[in-house]
Each structure stands twice: as structure tokens, then as C-alpha cells.
Amino acid sequence: MTNPNPTPTTKPNLILTCTPGKGHVHPISTIAKALIQAGYSLTVVSSSHYQPAFTSLGARYVAIQGYGDYWDGDRDAKWPQHALLPPGSPEQFAYALEHSFFRVIPDQLRAVQTAISQLRNESPASPIIVLNESAFVGALPLMRNCDGPKPDGMIGIGINPVSLSSRDVPPFGPGLPLPRNDEDRAAYAAMRAHMNKTIFAKPLQVLDEILVSVGVGKIRQEEDGPAFDAPYTWPDRFLQMCPASIMYPRSDAPSTFRYAGGLPKLPRTPSLDELPEWWNKAVIQNPKANKIVFVCQGTVIFDYSALVLPTIEALRNRPNTTVIAVLGLRGATLPSQQLQNLPANVHVADYLPYDAILPHADVFVGNGGYGGVIHSLSHGTPMVLAGETEDKAEMCAITAWAGAAVNLKTGGPSVAAIREGVDEVLGDGRYKEVCENIKGEMEGSDPLKVITENVDELVRAAGF
């Protein structure tokens, strides 16, 4: 029987974009490594700081130059106003959109087109497919006939919570509940319209100006859809790298929007030199009756008073409980006063791979970052979440809706709130059951196959 969708005989050259930032680089490097191991020629585009993270995997690299060449360590100095705005507020989000997502478009686009030109010159007969990380807005003009060279197709890659607008979901950001009826839907639609005309008016104006400057023209909502949906609707395909069960359902999502089930599966065994000296006694030899609570504030913001220290205090000397507190940065330490006052049931590490501790943890106390949540789910570990900056409030709300976490609805929870959250998760087996089910979904998926099948679809559609 003839295969109706044969694998193209011409293997494409792939360009993979990555928003500068540790939280983006880690999952994108996982995708990069899997594609290279699968035999693809891969060029990565991101800022100069992250070049070694990708070239060490065997990828080619084109660094962003100019205003768009930044990394996590530059943000406060480059955009000092951001830190002065209320954390997690719409105003802070609007400022970030304008400066670190929209004003960088010309430099990002220039870097992607440099990669396209290099590949066209070297292999003029080979198709080029761009895998565009969803927050990397600078590649989107390629899908709207911008000036300069273009690829043969584009696939959006989602490594953040889905922000695609829908009649079925609230406005993205503040962690609002799902609409219950048509009245709620109308209220949310009015809220989106109001925010676009007020808080988001400046960034949307900047976006239009930049799109005009690169030859695209202003966004026409009737033809292009809402501006904030462009990362999902402009590419030929969009792949969200998680199971569908951990995102709000959208009955009106386009048919090109698909779920990949997770990140590509790579070996996840940590090396012994990554494990602290207390590891065997505190974790491997931990009695079964003991519960292990893992807490980490994340790997970008290191204010341990927000989550790590309150969790230590909440579970201080608690019977049958071991607390593993990870600071998220090699060489980091707690203040000397806290170190001297650590209870016997608490162990602190500067850095520890999530894949090392999560298989042993009964609860993960985290800030709701997308990467940490998906990591925890891949090991079937339920969560207590407390986050309010960037997209964390939204991710906390989504994860609680899925039944995988308790959402404390703040970035600075009290000691009592953390204790109650941990008690809730440990005392109700449904949280663990949900997480194990999602873990099973992820284990049964083949994300790399989903990516390569969609790549093949675009190569065939381009006539190769």
C-alpha cells in the first residue's frame, strides 16, 4: 500500500530560535540536542551570551546583534524601569512587551535572515524550516511577506503557558478563573478590549511601527487576528511542548495548533559530582515513612525570603518530613544567620538538577515557572505553587485547575499558607493521582516524532 505521506527525500535545514534567557535556553537546548542526534543540520539563533550552550551540542549559531543582544544578567541594567513597576502587574508586563519583545524585533529578524541567507548560499536546493520559539517575536514578520529572505515554512514552538485568546479562557496573565457562562465570556472580551486600548496601547503601537519598518505593515485584525495571538496563528504550525491536559482547552483554536506531549526525551541521569554530600543519607536512604518536600525559588530570581525561607520555617523540625531546599545558582548560600539556625530536617544545596530530586519528592514547592511545573509533572510530583511575576500567576492557576497543585495566589506566601498547602497536597491523594496520570501521558508521547512529522508536512507542502 502506498504511503500517502512519504518522508521527503530532501532533508531540510532547520533554524531554531530562542528568546535570550535561562528559562528559554534550557528547553530549547533539549529540542536542539534531540534534533541534532536525529541527524538534522541545525542553526540556532539567540543572543551572543548563550552561543556556547548550543555550539557545544553541535549546532551552528547566529548571534543577535545590537539592541536585541541581551541575557538574564543584562535585564536590570538595560531596562531599570521594569523593576520599579509592581511585580506581576499589567503595567510591568506591558513594559516588558514593548522593550524586550517588540523593540528587539529588527535585530532578531536580521539574525534569522542572516541564517537563512547562509543556508541558501551553501545548499540552494535544500528546504529551510524555521522552528520559532513562541516568545521570539522577531521571526514572525517572515510569515507576513517582510523584506528580505524567507524560509520555506515555520513551526511555532511553545515552551511557555499558552496565551492564545479564546472564548473559553480568561485574559492571559493575572490567573483569573475560567468563564462559567456567556456573561463571563462577554466580561472577559470587554476586559481584553479595554486593556488593549489602555495598558497595552503603547506596546501595540510600537509593534505596528516596527512591522511597518520591516515591510509588513500594521496588523489588520480582520486578516491577521489579534496581535498577541500572532505567535500561534501566523506560523504554518504551532506545537505546544506539553500534554493537552495541563493547558486550558480552547474549542476555537486553529487546526494548526497542536500538542507535542512534552519535550524530547533525553537521558536524565545526573552525574555524581552534581549531588551534595548529604544526598545518600537524606534522600536515597530516607525512610519510606518520611515525606520529602523539595523547595526552589527558581533559577532567575534569588530572593530566598519569598519561598525558600518561609518553607523551611513552615516545616521546621516537623516529624517524618525532610526538606530539600535548592537555591538555584551554583555557589549561592543562605545568609549566615539562617544557615546557623537550620533545623535538623532541612538540607540546603546551591544547585541540584530537578531530575535528580523530583523522582524522590512527595511535594514540590515552587514559584509556578512553566519549566519547573512541566519538570515536576514529568516525574508525577504534585506541587504547592506561589508566583506572580511574568507568566507565573497564570501557570499557577492553570496547574491548580488541572488538579496537580495548590495555588497560593501570591508570590510571597506566609509560613502558615505554605504549611497548609503542603498539608493539603499530602493529605489528598487526588493531587498525586492527577500528576501520575499526566506523567503517563508524557511518557506515552513522542515529542521528537511530532516535531519531525510536522517538519516533513511543511517540506512536502513547499514542493520538495
Side-chain angles (χ1 to χ4, degrees), residues 98-363:
E98 177 184 344
H99 293 276
S100 57
F101 292 94
F102 293 166
R103 291 194 182 276
V104 300
I105 287 175
D107 294 331
Q108 290 183 344
L109 177 61
R110 193 175 301 113
V112 176
Q113 291 187 312
T114 296
I116 294 172
S117 295
Q118 290 176 355
L119 294 171
R120 288 276 188 239
N121 290 336
E122 294 171 10
S123 306
S126 297
I128 297 172
I129 304 296
V130 172
L131 305 178
N132 188 56
E133 191 243 303
S134 58
F136 194 100
V137 187
L140 294 179
L142 296 168
M143 302 306 295
R144 284 297 184 272
N145 201 33
C146 66
D147 300 330
K150 301 170 190 64
D152 297 294
M154 179 185 289
I155 298 173
I157 300 292
I159 57 164
N160 297 310
V162 177
S163 61
L164 177 66
S165 65
S166 166
R167 67 188 303 274
D168 301 324
V169 302
F172 183 85
L176 298 170
L178 289 174
R180 298 160 298 177
N181 48 45
D182 288 342
E183 184 178 348
D184 286 351
R185 293 185 184 94
Y188 282 158
M191 187 183 300
R192 286 190 187 95
H194 175 73
M195 292 178 73
N196 287 346
K197 292 178 180 177
T198 54
I199 294 170
F200 296 137
K202 176 70 180 303
L204 288 172
Q205 176 188 344
V206 169
L207 176 60
D208 270 342
E209 292 170 356
I210 289 173
L211 290 176
V212 169
S213 74
V214 298
V216 173
K218 295 181 180 181
I219 290 178
R220 296 153 296 185
Q221 184 154 331
E222 299 79 12
E223 299 176 28
D224 298 319
F228 293 135
D229 288 350
Y232 302 93
T233 59
W234 287 16
D236 300 294
R237 303 282 186 278
F238 188 91
L239 303 179
Q240 180 67 25
M241 307 305 293
C242 72
S245 59
I246 192 56
M247 286 293 143
Y248 293 144
R250 290 164 166 81
S251 61
D252 48 1
S255 61
T256 52
F257 179 92
R258 302 166 184 182
Y259 285 94
L263 289 171
K265 298 173 176 62
L266 298 173
R268 303 198 291 189
T269 304
S271 61
L272 293 177
D273 61 1
E274 293 181 291
L275 303 177
E277 58 183 13
W278 44 257
W279 177 258
N280 281 338
K281 183 177 180 180
V283 178
I284 303 302
Q285 299 168 16
N286 185 65
K288 286 188 177 180
N290 267 18
K291 299 298 182 182
I292 293 179
V293 178
F294 162 47
V295 58
C296 184
Q297 180 66 36
T299 57
V300 177
I301 298 175
F302 305 107
D303 177 8
Y304 303 122
S305 65
L307 204 55
V308 172
L309 293 174
T311 301
I312 291 173
E313 195 59 37
L315 304 174
R316 173 180 289 274
N317 294 322
R318 178 172 169 149
N320 303 318
T321 304
T322 297
V323 178
I324 306 298
V326 177
L327 305 183
L329 180 68
R330 296 185 191 279
T333 61
L334 290 176
S336 57
Q337 182 178 354
Q338 275 80 23
L339 280 175
Q340 293 168 6
N341 196 32
L342 277 182
N345 68 326
V346 173
H347 300 273
V348 178
D350 59 348
Y351 177 84
L352 190 63
Y354 279 26
D355 289 325
I357 183 60
L358 281 170
H360 304 282
D362 295 282
V363 184

Side-chain angles (χ1 to χ4, degrees), residues 2 20 76-77 96 148 153 173 223 255 287 300 393 408 443 463:
T2 303
D76 289 345
E223 299 176 28
S255 61
V300 177
L408 300 184
E443 290 177 342

Side-chain angles (χ1 to χ4, degrees), residues 310-311 314-315 318 363 365 383-384 406-408 413-428 431:
T311 301
L315 304 174
R318 178 172 169 149
V363 184
V365 181
M383 292 156 276
V384 174
V406 168
N407 178 15
L408 300 184
S414 67
V415 169
I418 293 173
R419 186 184 300 118
E420 291 169 7
V422 170
D423 288 343
E424 168 73 15
V425 170
L426 292 178
D428 188 338
Y431 291 99

